[in-house]
Amino acid sequence: MEYLFTLYYVFIKVLFNLPVKDTQTGLKLFNYDTLKKATQYLIENSLLQVKITKDITYFISKRTVMQDAKDIQLSLNELSLLELLIKNKNRTVNTQEIKTLIWKDDYPSESAFKSLIYKLRKKIGKDTIISSSGFGFRIILEN
């Protein structure tokens, strides 16, 4: 628990642009080793995760998706699309934006794009990725 306190303490200091060193003594206000241990604790205890559905979870640090403790194998493009939708969970992501971010300058055919959406929906639940006709896609996450 000390690790979590230290981690949150440092985040608040950085977030509000407060000094992480005592201005009079020059001493650090936290221990870097403790911060490192706190970060490792968060990673190892899977606190850095996104609940996609009741039984499907995306683990940010490992870049993996699991359903009931079993890995769901995603291609690099499927993983990129999932991460993009999660990062933009409060908005619909434009189709052109998706294509640009996933394929860079090498735009896919329409069938390849539709296939990517279909495959990801099949793996994480078809009702999880919502289409906004003619505009783009967004993800519905479990609360």
Side-chain angles (χ1 to χ4, degrees), residues 95-107:
T95 301
Q96 291 305 319
E97 184 180 349
I98 294 170
K99 289 178 180 179
T100 300
L101 289 169
I102 293 177
W103 284 280
K104 311 291 184 243
D105 296 326
D106 189 26
Y107 270 35

Side-chain angles (χ1 to χ4, degrees), residues 26-139:
L27 297 175
K28 292 180 218 163
L29 299 175
F30 66 94
N31 181 317
Y32 282 105
D33 289 332
T34 305
L35 178 61
K36 185 177 177 182
K37 288 178 184 175
T39 305
Q40 190 63 35
Y41 173 84
L42 287 173
I43 292 169
E44 288 173 0
N45 290 286
S46 303
L47 297 175
L48 301 172
Q49 61 191 13
V50 176
K51 201 77 159 143
I52 297 172
T53 66
K54 184 179 73 169
D55 57 346
I56 299 177
T57 305
Y58 170 65
F59 294 90
I60 297 167
S61 61
K62 298 177 185 176
R63 296 187 77 207
T64 58
V65 178
M66 297 188 81
Q67 180 175 19
D68 298 326
K70 294 179 185 172
D71 276 333
I72 297 176
Q73 297 297 316
L74 297 181
S75 70
L76 287 176
N77 284 348
E78 291 166 350
L79 185 60
S80 296
L81 175 58
L82 178 62
E83 290 173 338
L84 176 63
L85 294 174
I86 288 172
K87 286 178 186 172
N88 294 281
K89 65 184 177 193
N90 295 322
R91 74 176 186 92
T92 300
V93 182
N94 181 292
T95 301
Q96 291 305 319
E97 184 180 349
I98 294 170
K99 289 178 180 179
T100 300
L101 289 169
I102 293 177
W103 284 280
K104 311 291 184 243
D105 296 326
D106 189 26
Y107 270 35
S109 66
E110 194 60 30
S111 63
F113 179 73
K114 287 180 181 180
S115 175
L116 174 65
I117 300 292
Y118 171 79
K119 288 176 183 176
L120 185 57
R121 279 179 167 161
K122 188 174 179 181
K123 292 177 181 180
I124 66 168
K126 67 179 185 176
D127 296 331
T128 304
I129 299 175
I130 306 299
S131 172
S132 295
S133 287
F135 183 74
F137 298 86
R138 69 186 191 98
I139 193 165

